[in-house]
Amino acid sequence: MLDDEKCLCGSGRIYGICCKPFSGMKIEDYKRERESKNYIKAYYIAIAMLTDYLVEIKKHTNRILKDNPAIGKFILHQDINALSELADRIFCSIPEGNTDN
């Protein structure tokens, strides 16, 4: 994804200043930030993980759906499950009443 493209997370900002700074972070980074009570950073990591995944879907799943619909549908189902898990992480990033850091 190019720095000056609109970010796939839906924020309306450009990728270079939105999710790119957190791109490539892993679940371990997310968990470490939550355990340290850095809820805002955990949230941004979760959003960037979602964006990273959407970039992969855009690159691969769309092409596979065209070339081999049966396999494409299976992969799309897997993508939807993974996106659901990422969305759960995003919504659980900041416990209620903990938006001050």
XYZ file of all heavy atoms in Angstrom:
809
model
N 0.855 -1.169 0.000
C 0.000 0.000 0.000
C 0.900 1.230 0.000
O 1.879 1.288 0.731
C -0.887 -0.070 1.241
C -1.837 1.042 1.376
S -3.196 0.609 2.476
C -4.344 1.727 1.779
N 0.534 2.228 -0.785
C 1.334 3.446 -0.874
C 1.000 4.409 0.260
O -0.149 4.474 0.719
C 1.104 4.131 -2.221
C 1.463 3.309 -3.461
C 1.079 4.069 -4.730
C 2.945 2.970 -3.465
N 2.004 5.156 0.698
C 1.824 6.080 1.816
C 0.729 7.112 1.585
O 0.082 7.545 2.528
C 3.130 6.819 2.108
C 4.162 5.924 2.769
O 3.860 4.747 3.040
O 5.278 6.411 3.027
N 0.524 7.520 0.331
C -0.448 8.581 0.058
C -1.831 8.064 -0.356
O -2.702 8.841 -0.707
C 0.087 9.551 -0.993
C 0.367 8.895 -2.334
O 0.345 7.644 -2.421
O 0.633 9.632 -3.298
N -2.047 6.752 -0.246
C -3.364 6.170 -0.515
C -4.217 6.252 0.743
O -3.696 6.229 1.859
C -3.244 4.696 -0.911
C -2.650 4.463 -2.275
C -2.604 2.971 -2.598
O -1.967 2.209 -1.859
O -3.221 2.592 -3.601
N -5.541 6.308 0.546
C -6.435 6.266 1.700
C -6.261 4.937 2.414
O -6.204 3.885 1.789
C -7.888 6.410 1.261
C -8.377 7.813 1.290
C -9.883 7.852 1.203
C -10.316 9.275 1.449
N -11.753 9.394 1.400
N -6.192 4.995 3.729
C -5.989 3.795 4.535
C -7.215 2.887 4.443
O -8.359 3.352 4.457
C -5.722 4.183 5.976
S -5.102 2.813 6.974
N -6.973 1.587 4.378
C -8.060 0.615 4.280
C -8.844 0.441 5.584
O -9.886 -0.193 5.593
C -7.516 -0.739 3.831
C -7.024 -0.818 2.394
C -6.439 -2.202 2.109
C -8.142 -0.528 1.424
N -8.360 1.017 6.682
C -9.073 0.851 7.954
C -10.360 1.654 7.995
O -11.196 1.437 8.858
C -8.178 1.217 9.136
S -7.963 2.997 9.388
N -10.497 2.595 7.057
C -11.724 3.381 6.996
C -11.667 4.694 7.748
O -12.671 5.392 7.860
N -10.504 5.081 8.241
C -10.387 6.328 9.003
C -10.526 7.572 8.142
O -10.829 8.641 8.654
C -9.025 6.378 9.704
O -7.982 6.536 8.736
N -10.269 7.430 6.840
C -10.285 8.576 5.948
C -8.927 9.244 5.817
O -8.731 10.122 4.988
N -7.975 8.827 6.659
C -6.622 9.394 6.595
C -5.784 8.616 5.594
O -6.144 7.514 5.193
C -5.968 9.338 7.981
C -6.709 10.195 8.992
C -6.060 10.177 10.337
N -6.149 8.823 10.892
C -5.493 8.413 11.966
N -4.694 9.213 12.616
N -5.644 7.179 12.400
N -4.623 9.192 5.237
C -3.734 8.476 4.330
C -2.932 7.444 5.127
O -2.635 7.638 6.305
C -2.815 9.422 3.526
C -1.911 10.240 4.429
C -3.621 10.317 2.599
C -0.828 11.006 3.698
N -2.617 6.360 4.458
C -1.968 5.214 5.088
C -0.676 5.596 5.808
O -0.417 5.118 6.914
C -1.706 4.152 4.023
C -0.934 2.970 4.517
C -1.504 2.070 5.405
C 0.377 2.746 4.098
C -0.803 0.978 5.864
C 1.088 1.646 4.545
C 0.497 0.776 5.440
O 1.200 -0.312 5.889
N 0.133 6.467 5.204
C 1.439 6.816 5.772
C 1.389 7.402 7.165
O 2.335 7.263 7.936
N 0.280 8.067 7.513
C 0.170 8.652 8.854
C -0.903 7.966 9.696
O -1.148 8.357 10.821
C -0.100 10.173 8.800
C -1.406 10.459 8.073
C 1.059 10.909 8.174
C -1.865 11.899 8.175
N -1.521 6.945 9.137
C -2.590 6.249 9.856
C -2.057 4.929 10.412
O -1.564 4.877 11.535
C -3.782 6.035 8.924
S -5.244 5.388 9.760
N -2.137 3.883 9.631
C -1.768 2.550 10.115
C -0.319 2.154 9.836
O 0.198 1.246 10.487
C -2.714 1.512 9.516
S -4.359 1.568 10.273
N 0.349 2.820 8.904
C 1.707 2.408 8.555
C 2.663 2.377 9.750
O 3.454 1.442 9.875
C 2.285 3.294 7.457
C 3.658 2.835 7.024
C 4.248 3.680 5.942
C 5.635 3.149 5.577
N 6.230 3.956 4.525
N 2.612 3.374 10.665
C 3.548 3.321 11.803
C 3.418 2.053 12.661
O 4.353 1.680 13.361
C 3.193 4.565 12.615
C 2.583 5.501 11.627
C 1.836 4.616 10.665
N 2.276 1.394 12.606
C 2.045 0.188 13.395
C 1.995 -1.073 12.539
O 1.774 -2.168 13.050
C 0.745 0.318 14.194
C 0.750 1.480 15.140
C 0.176 2.698 14.769
C 1.352 1.384 16.374
C 0.191 3.783 15.629
C 1.375 2.467 17.250
C 0.797 3.670 16.867
N 2.182 -0.911 11.251
C 2.115 -2.040 10.318
C 3.188 -3.071 10.638
O 4.309 -2.727 10.989
C 2.284 -1.535 8.883
O 2.204 -2.607 7.985
N 2.824 -4.328 10.518
C 3.773 -5.409 10.753
C 3.874 -5.850 12.205
O 4.559 -6.814 12.510
N 3.194 -5.154 13.096
C 3.219 -5.565 14.499
C 2.422 -6.856 14.649
O 1.540 -7.157 13.863
C 2.691 -4.460 15.393
C 3.609 -3.267 15.436
S 3.101 -2.135 16.716
C 4.680 -1.455 17.166
N 2.743 -7.600 15.643
C 2.178 -8.936 15.848
C 1.286 -8.968 17.083
O 1.263 -8.037 17.882
C 3.306 -9.964 16.005
C 4.297 -9.969 14.867
C 3.659 -10.479 13.613
C 4.669 -10.511 12.483
N 4.099 -10.354 11.184
N 0.623 -10.088 17.260
C -0.269 -10.275 18.401
C 0.481 -10.113 19.724
O -0.061 -9.609 20.703
C -1.011 -11.638 18.310
C -2.095 -11.746 19.385
C -0.045 -12.794 18.409
C -3.239 -10.806 19.214
N 1.748 -10.498 19.739
C 2.546 -10.353 20.959
C 2.690 -8.876 21.334
O 2.669 -8.526 22.521
C 3.934 -10.986 20.789
C 3.921 -12.481 20.620
C 3.564 -12.947 19.206
O 3.648 -12.147 18.245
O 3.177 -14.116 19.071
N 2.861 -8.002 20.322
C 2.957 -6.560 20.576
C 1.652 -6.042 21.172
O 1.658 -5.267 22.128
C 3.265 -5.807 19.276
C 4.552 -6.276 18.632
O 5.586 -6.337 19.334
O 4.525 -6.589 17.426
N 0.545 -6.488 20.582
C -0.775 -6.100 21.072
C -0.955 -6.524 22.532
O -1.353 -5.724 23.384
C -1.846 -6.733 20.184
C -3.240 -6.658 20.734
C -3.992 -5.506 20.581
C -3.805 -7.749 21.392
C -5.281 -5.434 21.090
C -5.092 -7.685 21.890
C -5.821 -6.519 21.742
O -7.091 -6.460 22.250
N -0.642 -7.782 22.838
C -0.813 -8.301 24.201
C 0.087 -7.562 25.191
O -0.338 -7.249 26.309
C -0.517 -9.797 24.238
C -1.592 -10.624 23.581
C -1.233 -12.101 23.601
C -2.306 -12.941 22.955
N -1.944 -14.372 22.928
N 1.318 -7.289 24.783
C 2.250 -6.572 25.663
C 1.706 -5.181 26.014
O 1.752 -4.764 27.174
C 3.620 -6.454 25.004
C 4.673 -5.798 25.878
C 6.051 -5.708 25.235
N 5.998 -5.000 23.964
C 6.162 -5.575 22.769
N 6.374 -6.864 22.674
N 6.105 -4.859 21.659
N 1.170 -4.478 25.030
C 0.627 -3.146 25.287
C -0.602 -3.210 26.185
O -0.769 -2.373 27.073
C 0.302 -2.431 23.973
C 1.513 -2.139 23.112
C 2.587 -1.313 23.795
O 2.272 -0.489 24.681
O 3.766 -1.491 23.446
N -1.458 -4.191 25.986
C -2.630 -4.342 26.865
C -2.201 -4.649 28.295
O -2.738 -4.080 29.243
C -3.557 -5.439 26.358
C -4.502 -4.911 25.308
C -5.707 -5.778 25.058
N -6.372 -6.332 26.220
C -7.430 -5.792 26.813
N -7.927 -4.674 26.371
N -7.993 -6.385 27.839
N -1.239 -5.552 28.442
C -0.770 -5.905 29.784
C -0.119 -4.718 30.481
O -0.190 -4.594 31.699
C 0.206 -7.079 29.705
C -0.477 -8.384 29.361
C 0.486 -9.502 29.014
O 1.720 -9.313 29.111
O -0.002 -10.580 28.613
N 0.494 -3.825 29.693
C 1.114 -2.618 30.244
C 0.107 -1.486 30.427
O 0.485 -0.380 30.803
C 2.240 -2.139 29.319
O 3.237 -3.111 29.205
N -1.154 -1.769 30.115
C -2.236 -0.794 30.198
C -2.049 0.378 29.234
O -2.551 1.471 29.467
C -2.436 -0.301 31.630
C -2.862 -1.415 32.578
C -3.238 -0.854 33.918
C -3.604 -1.819 34.972
N -4.032 -3.100 34.791
N -1.329 0.140 28.146
C -1.201 1.117 27.067
C -2.327 0.835 26.073
O -2.108 0.370 24.962
C 0.164 1.011 26.373
C 1.299 1.387 27.284
O 1.156 2.268 28.116
N 2.423 0.708 27.136
N -3.551 1.118 26.502
C -4.730 0.726 25.746
C -4.842 1.413 24.392
O -5.279 0.807 23.423
C -5.997 0.966 26.565
C -6.001 0.203 27.866
C -6.059 0.857 29.080
C -5.926 -1.191 27.862
C -6.064 0.144 30.275
C -5.934 -1.907 29.046
C -5.992 -1.234 30.249
O -5.995 -1.935 31.419
N -4.466 2.669 24.331
C -4.562 3.399 23.063
C -3.605 2.791 22.041
O -3.969 2.559 20.884
C -4.285 4.903 23.258
C -5.268 5.524 24.248
C -4.299 5.636 21.922
C -6.720 5.486 23.825
N -2.378 2.499 22.465
C -1.421 1.885 21.544
C -1.892 0.491 21.132
O -1.772 0.101 19.972
C -0.030 1.814 22.162
C 1.025 1.410 21.153
C 2.430 1.601 21.675
C 3.429 1.225 20.608
N 4.796 1.313 21.111
N -2.456 -0.268 22.077
C -2.998 -1.594 21.737
C -4.091 -1.455 20.688
O -4.156 -2.244 19.737
C -3.545 -2.277 22.992
N -4.923 -0.433 20.835
C -5.986 -0.174 19.859
C -5.388 0.090 18.481
O -5.816 -0.494 17.489
C -6.819 1.018 20.335
C -7.793 1.527 19.313
C -9.007 0.894 19.106
C -7.492 2.661 18.553
C -9.905 1.371 18.160
C -8.388 3.134 17.614
C -9.589 2.498 17.424
O -10.467 2.965 16.488
N -4.389 0.960 18.402
C -3.779 1.279 17.109
C -3.096 0.062 16.488
O -3.125 -0.124 15.275
C -2.798 2.445 17.226
C -3.497 3.777 17.356
C -3.281 4.583 18.462
C -4.386 4.213 16.384
C -3.921 5.800 18.580
C -5.039 5.426 16.502
C -4.794 6.223 17.602
O -5.437 7.417 17.728
N -2.486 -0.766 17.316
C -1.873 -1.997 16.804
C -2.958 -2.911 16.229
O -2.794 -3.480 15.145
C -1.064 -2.716 17.900
C 0.190 -1.900 18.239
C -0.680 -4.135 17.462
C 0.929 -2.390 19.475
N -4.082 -3.046 16.934
C -5.175 -3.893 16.447
C -5.727 -3.362 15.122
O -5.983 -4.140 14.195
C -6.282 -3.977 17.497
N -5.889 -2.051 15.018
C -6.374 -1.450 13.763
C -5.369 -1.712 12.641
O -5.745 -2.067 11.515
C -6.615 0.062 13.930
C -7.776 0.331 14.882
C -6.849 0.734 12.579
C -9.142 0.009 14.334
N -4.071 -1.554 12.921
C -3.047 -1.795 11.894
C -3.013 -3.264 11.482
O -2.805 -3.573 10.307
C -1.674 -1.348 12.397
N -3.235 -4.177 12.433
C -3.299 -5.596 12.085
C -4.468 -5.847 11.137
O -4.349 -6.617 10.180
C -3.425 -6.448 13.356
C -2.163 -6.471 14.189
S -2.401 -7.272 15.802
C -2.601 -8.969 15.284
N -5.586 -5.192 11.392
C -6.740 -5.292 10.499
C -6.382 -4.769 9.112
O -6.666 -5.412 8.105
C -7.917 -4.510 11.075
C -9.128 -4.327 10.166
C -9.786 -5.666 9.857
C -10.129 -3.380 10.804
N -5.738 -3.627 9.051
C -5.348 -3.043 7.771
C -4.378 -3.948 7.029
O -4.521 -4.167 5.822
C -4.750 -1.646 7.978
O -5.737 -0.816 8.603
C -4.320 -1.017 6.663
N -3.383 -4.488 7.741
C -2.437 -5.417 7.104
C -3.184 -6.595 6.482
O -2.885 -7.023 5.368
C -1.412 -5.944 8.112
C -0.397 -4.904 8.561
O -0.277 -3.852 7.905
O 0.277 -5.153 9.585
N -4.156 -7.107 7.216
C -4.925 -8.245 6.712
C -5.755 -7.854 5.496
O -5.836 -8.586 4.516
C -5.816 -8.820 7.825
C -6.222 -10.236 7.544
C -5.368 -11.286 7.830
C -7.443 -10.530 6.964
C -5.719 -12.599 7.556
C -7.809 -11.839 6.684
C -6.941 -12.857 6.983
O -7.294 -14.153 6.695
N -6.367 -6.662 5.542
C -7.153 -6.195 4.402
C -6.281 -6.016 3.157
O -6.728 -6.301 2.045
C -7.857 -4.881 4.745
C -9.010 -4.997 5.735
C -9.491 -3.610 6.161
C -10.153 -5.812 5.164
N -5.055 -5.577 3.341
C -4.128 -5.441 2.209
C -3.881 -6.814 1.593
O -3.885 -6.969 0.361
C -2.810 -4.773 2.646
C -1.739 -4.902 1.577
C -3.040 -3.302 2.989
N -3.678 -7.832 2.428
C -3.460 -9.190 1.918
C -4.690 -9.721 1.196
O -4.584 -10.352 0.147
C -3.055 -10.132 3.049
C -1.670 -9.865 3.586
C -0.602 -9.928 2.510
O -0.565 -10.912 1.740
O 0.185 -8.969 2.415
N -5.863 -9.472 1.759
C -7.103 -9.902 1.100
C -7.208 -9.258 -0.274
O -7.532 -9.916 -1.259
C -8.340 -9.556 1.957
C -8.389 -10.448 3.194
C -9.628 -9.702 1.148
C -9.455 -10.053 4.192
N -6.946 -7.959 -0.312
C -7.040 -7.223 -1.571
C -6.095 -7.812 -2.618
O -6.449 -7.940 -3.777
C -6.716 -5.748 -1.318
C -6.976 -4.845 -2.478
C -6.714 -3.406 -2.079
C -6.887 -2.478 -3.253
N -6.590 -1.101 -2.914
N -4.898 -8.215 -2.187
C -3.904 -8.752 -3.125
C -4.242 -10.162 -3.594
O -4.075 -10.480 -4.758
C -2.515 -8.785 -2.474
C -1.780 -7.479 -2.508
C -0.325 -7.678 -2.187
C -0.094 -7.664 -0.708
N 1.312 -7.708 -0.325
N -4.673 -11.027 -2.689
C -4.773 -12.451 -2.998
C -6.196 -12.980 -3.177
O -6.478 -13.652 -4.158
C -4.060 -13.272 -1.918
C -2.615 -12.918 -1.781
N -1.694 -13.210 -2.747
C -1.945 -12.260 -0.807
C -0.512 -12.765 -2.375
N -0.630 -12.180 -1.210
N -7.062 -12.722 -2.234
C -8.383 -13.341 -2.260
C -9.188 -12.911 -3.479
O -9.844 -13.739 -4.097
C -9.147 -13.038 -0.963
O -8.333 -13.439 0.143
C -10.460 -13.792 -0.912
N -9.146 -11.630 -3.813
C -9.908 -11.164 -4.983
C -9.475 -11.900 -6.244
O -10.305 -12.298 -7.062
C -9.741 -9.657 -5.168
C -10.486 -8.860 -4.132
O -11.378 -9.363 -3.465
N -10.117 -7.609 -3.980
N -8.180 -12.105 -6.422
C -7.657 -12.803 -7.603
C -8.091 -14.273 -7.592
O -8.525 -14.809 -8.605
C -6.141 -12.691 -7.656
C -5.506 -13.369 -8.848
C -4.003 -13.136 -8.936
N -3.284 -13.150 -7.685
C -2.873 -14.260 -7.059
N -3.136 -15.445 -7.556
N -2.212 -14.182 -5.923
N -8.015 -14.909 -6.437
C -8.383 -16.322 -6.333
C -9.877 -16.512 -6.598
O -10.282 -17.482 -7.239
C -7.980 -16.893 -4.956
C -6.456 -16.932 -4.839
C -8.550 -18.286 -4.747
C -5.948 -17.236 -3.449
N -10.703 -15.578 -6.115
C -12.140 -15.673 -6.375
C -12.431 -15.693 -7.874
O -13.321 -16.408 -8.327
C -12.885 -14.510 -5.724
C -13.254 -14.700 -4.261
C -13.698 -13.378 -3.651
C -14.324 -15.759 -4.090
N -11.667 -14.923 -8.640
C -11.855 -14.901 -10.091
C -11.342 -16.174 -10.743
O -11.994 -16.744 -11.610
C -11.120 -13.703 -10.708
C -11.767 -12.380 -10.439
C -10.962 -11.274 -11.092
C -11.481 -9.917 -10.687
N -10.645 -8.844 -11.202
N -10.149 -16.624 -10.324
C -9.498 -17.772 -10.967
C -10.105 -19.117 -10.578
O -10.169 -20.028 -11.394
C -7.997 -17.790 -10.653
C -7.263 -16.596 -11.229
O -7.831 -15.912 -12.113
O -6.122 -16.344 -10.799
N -10.496 -19.265 -9.320
C -11.018 -20.537 -8.836
C -12.080 -20.249 -7.766
O -11.766 -20.224 -6.572
C -9.888 -21.402 -8.272
C -10.340 -22.811 -7.993
O -11.499 -23.057 -7.692
N -9.414 -23.738 -8.091
N -13.318 -20.030 -8.175
C -14.368 -19.623 -7.235
C -14.546 -20.539 -6.027
O -14.782 -20.053 -4.918
C -15.633 -19.595 -8.093
C -15.141 -19.368 -9.480
C -13.818 -20.078 -9.552
N -14.414 -21.850 -6.186
C -14.614 -22.766 -5.055
C -13.557 -22.536 -3.974
O -13.873 -22.415 -2.785
C -14.588 -24.216 -5.529
N -12.308 -22.480 -4.384
C -11.227 -22.227 -3.422
C -11.334 -20.799 -2.893
O -11.138 -20.547 -1.709
C -9.846 -22.490 -4.059
C -9.700 -23.981 -4.347
C -8.720 -21.991 -3.158
C -8.440 -24.353 -5.095
N -11.676 -19.877 -3.777
C -11.838 -18.486 -3.371
C -12.875 -18.313 -2.285
O -12.680 -17.567 -1.326
N -13.999 -19.029 -2.397
C -15.050 -18.945 -1.380
C -14.564 -19.499 -0.044
O -14.862 -18.956 1.013
C -16.296 -19.681 -1.840
C -17.057 -18.939 -2.912
C -18.266 -19.717 -3.375
C -18.949 -19.018 -4.535
N -20.071 -19.787 -5.055
N -13.802 -20.592 -0.088
C -13.239 -21.160 1.145
C -12.298 -20.155 1.802
O -12.382 -19.904 3.008
C -12.506 -22.468 0.843
C -11.764 -23.004 2.030
C -12.440 -23.646 3.052
C -10.386 -22.832 2.135
C -11.764 -24.136 4.161
C -9.699 -23.323 3.240
C -10.387 -23.964 4.252
N -11.421 -19.574 1.013
C -10.462 -18.597 1.555
C -11.196 -17.368 2.075
O -10.860 -16.836 3.135
C -9.405 -18.235 0.501
C -8.510 -19.452 0.245
C -8.572 -17.039 0.928
C -7.536 -19.292 -0.891
N -12.213 -16.927 1.355
C -12.993 -15.778 1.804
C -13.654 -16.077 3.152
O -13.682 -15.228 4.037
C -14.041 -15.410 0.755
C -14.824 -14.130 1.009
C -13.899 -12.933 1.151
C -15.815 -13.901 -0.120
N -14.151 -17.289 3.328
C -14.726 -17.691 4.616
C -13.669 -17.603 5.728
O -13.950 -17.101 6.817
C -15.297 -19.111 4.518
C -15.899 -19.603 5.783
N -17.107 -19.147 6.257
C -15.445 -20.502 6.683
C -17.368 -19.737 7.406
N -16.387 -20.573 7.678
N -12.455 -18.066 5.443
C -11.361 -17.978 6.416
C -11.032 -16.511 6.712
O -10.781 -16.145 7.858
C -10.112 -18.698 5.901
C -10.306 -20.159 5.620
C -10.520 -20.968 6.888
O -11.428 -20.705 7.672
N -9.697 -21.955 7.094
N -11.034 -15.695 5.672
C -10.764 -14.260 5.848
C -11.808 -13.618 6.754
O -11.474 -12.827 7.638
C -10.755 -13.530 4.501
C -9.538 -13.856 3.650
O -8.513 -14.280 4.210
O -9.624 -13.677 2.418
N -13.058 -13.952 6.550
C -14.133 -13.378 7.359
C -13.969 -13.784 8.822
O -14.129 -12.959 9.727
C -15.511 -13.790 6.807
C -15.745 -13.075 5.471
C -16.622 -13.482 7.806
C -16.908 -13.608 4.678
N -13.617 -15.033 9.084
C -13.377 -15.473 10.473
C -12.211 -14.713 11.097
O -12.287 -14.298 12.254
C -13.119 -16.972 10.520
C -14.369 -17.784 10.284
O -15.470 -17.296 10.465
N -14.200 -19.020 9.859
N -11.140 -14.531 10.337
C -9.974 -13.803 10.852
C -10.325 -12.334 11.103
O -9.916 -11.757 12.114
C -8.810 -13.910 9.875
N -11.083 -11.741 10.205
C -11.492 -10.349 10.385
C -12.379 -10.196 11.617
O -12.285 -9.208 12.339
C -12.201 -9.837 9.136
C -11.298 -9.614 7.931
C -12.134 -9.338 6.689
C -10.317 -8.489 8.176
N -13.218 -11.174 11.868
C -14.063 -11.148 13.056
C -13.215 -11.166 14.326
O -13.474 -10.422 15.276
C -15.020 -12.334 13.031
O -15.781 -12.375 14.202
N -12.192 -12.007 14.326
C -11.294 -12.069 15.482
C -10.563 -10.741 15.670
O -10.428 -10.253 16.789
C -10.281 -13.201 15.291
C -9.363 -13.388 16.469
C -8.393 -14.526 16.257
O -8.785 -15.575 15.722
O -7.218 -14.353 16.652
N -10.106 -10.143 14.575
C -9.434 -8.846 14.665
C -10.392 -7.775 15.181
O -10.012 -6.942 16.012
C -8.871 -8.432 13.305
C -7.618 -9.174 12.850
C -7.312 -8.860 11.393
C -6.438 -8.825 13.731
N -11.628 -7.785 14.721
C -12.612 -6.808 15.186
C -12.855 -6.967 16.684
O -12.946 -5.970 17.413
C -13.915 -6.956 14.408
N -12.928 -8.202 17.165
C -13.081 -8.434 18.596
C -11.919 -7.824 19.372
O -12.112 -7.215 20.421
C -13.175 -9.928 18.909
C -14.502 -10.539 18.505
O -15.461 -9.780 18.240
O -14.568 -11.782 18.431
N -10.707 -7.975 18.848
C -9.533 -7.403 19.501
C -9.625 -5.884 19.561
O -9.275 -5.280 20.566
C -8.265 -7.793 18.728
C -7.409 -8.720 19.495
C -6.137 -9.021 18.762
N -6.205 -10.412 18.392
C -5.855 -10.916 17.239
N -5.358 -10.154 16.310
N -5.966 -12.192 17.004
N -10.087 -5.279 18.469
C -10.205 -3.823 18.425
C -11.195 -3.347 19.475
O -10.920 -2.430 20.249
C -10.621 -3.348 17.016
C -9.471 -3.584 16.033
C -11.034 -1.876 17.029
C -9.870 -3.502 14.585
N -12.363 -3.995 19.542
C -13.381 -3.563 20.482
C -12.995 -3.838 21.927
O -13.507 -3.189 22.830
C -14.724 -4.215 20.153
C -15.302 -3.734 18.860
C -15.629 -4.629 17.861
C -15.492 -2.382 18.617
C -16.153 -4.186 16.659
C -16.017 -1.926 17.416
C -16.352 -2.840 16.436
N -12.093 -4.777 22.145
C -11.656 -5.096 23.509
C -10.366 -4.393 23.877
O -9.847 -4.594 24.983
C -11.476 -6.609 23.651
S -13.010 -7.529 23.475
N -9.807 -3.575 23.012
C -8.517 -2.940 23.264
C -8.549 -1.990 24.450
O -7.611 -1.914 25.221
C -8.042 -2.155 22.032
O -7.735 -3.033 21.002
N -9.622 -1.242 24.558
C -9.689 -0.218 25.583
C -10.838 -0.545 26.536
O -12.000 -0.382 26.187
C -9.900 1.172 24.967
C -8.801 1.467 23.945
C -9.928 2.237 26.055
C -9.010 2.729 23.155
N -10.498 -1.038 27.737
C -11.559 -1.309 28.708
C -12.318 -0.034 29.050
O -11.755 1.057 29.048
C -10.795 -1.838 29.929
C -9.482 -2.296 29.400
C -9.181 -1.398 28.234
N -13.590 -0.171 29.344
C -14.424 0.977 29.658
C -13.790 1.814 30.763
O -13.327 1.297 31.781
C -15.803 0.493 30.100
C -16.823 1.594 30.167
C -18.204 1.048 30.426
O -18.526 -0.064 29.952
O -18.968 1.742 31.113
N -13.747 3.124 30.544
C -13.202 4.042 31.536
C -11.692 4.187 31.491
O -11.113 4.836 32.345
N -11.004 3.602 30.507
C -9.545 3.651 30.439
C -9.074 4.319 29.154
O -8.294 3.770 28.410
C -8.964 2.245 30.513
C -9.059 1.658 31.887
O -8.395 2.107 32.798
N -9.943 0.690 32.047
N -9.523 5.513 28.893
C -9.120 6.212 27.666
C -8.153 7.346 27.928
O -7.946 8.208 27.090
C -10.367 6.772 26.949
O -11.054 7.638 27.847
C -11.273 5.649 26.468
N -7.533 7.359 29.094
C -6.663 8.482 29.443
C -5.198 8.281 29.070
O -4.404 9.178 29.252
C -6.781 8.793 30.934
C -6.468 7.599 31.816
O -6.482 6.462 31.316
O -6.221 7.810 33.014
N -4.784 7.127 28.513
C -3.385 6.982 28.136
C -3.244 6.508 26.718
O -4.076 6.037 26.066
C -2.635 6.061 29.067
C -3.086 4.612 28.988
O -4.073 4.297 28.330
N -2.376 3.756 29.653
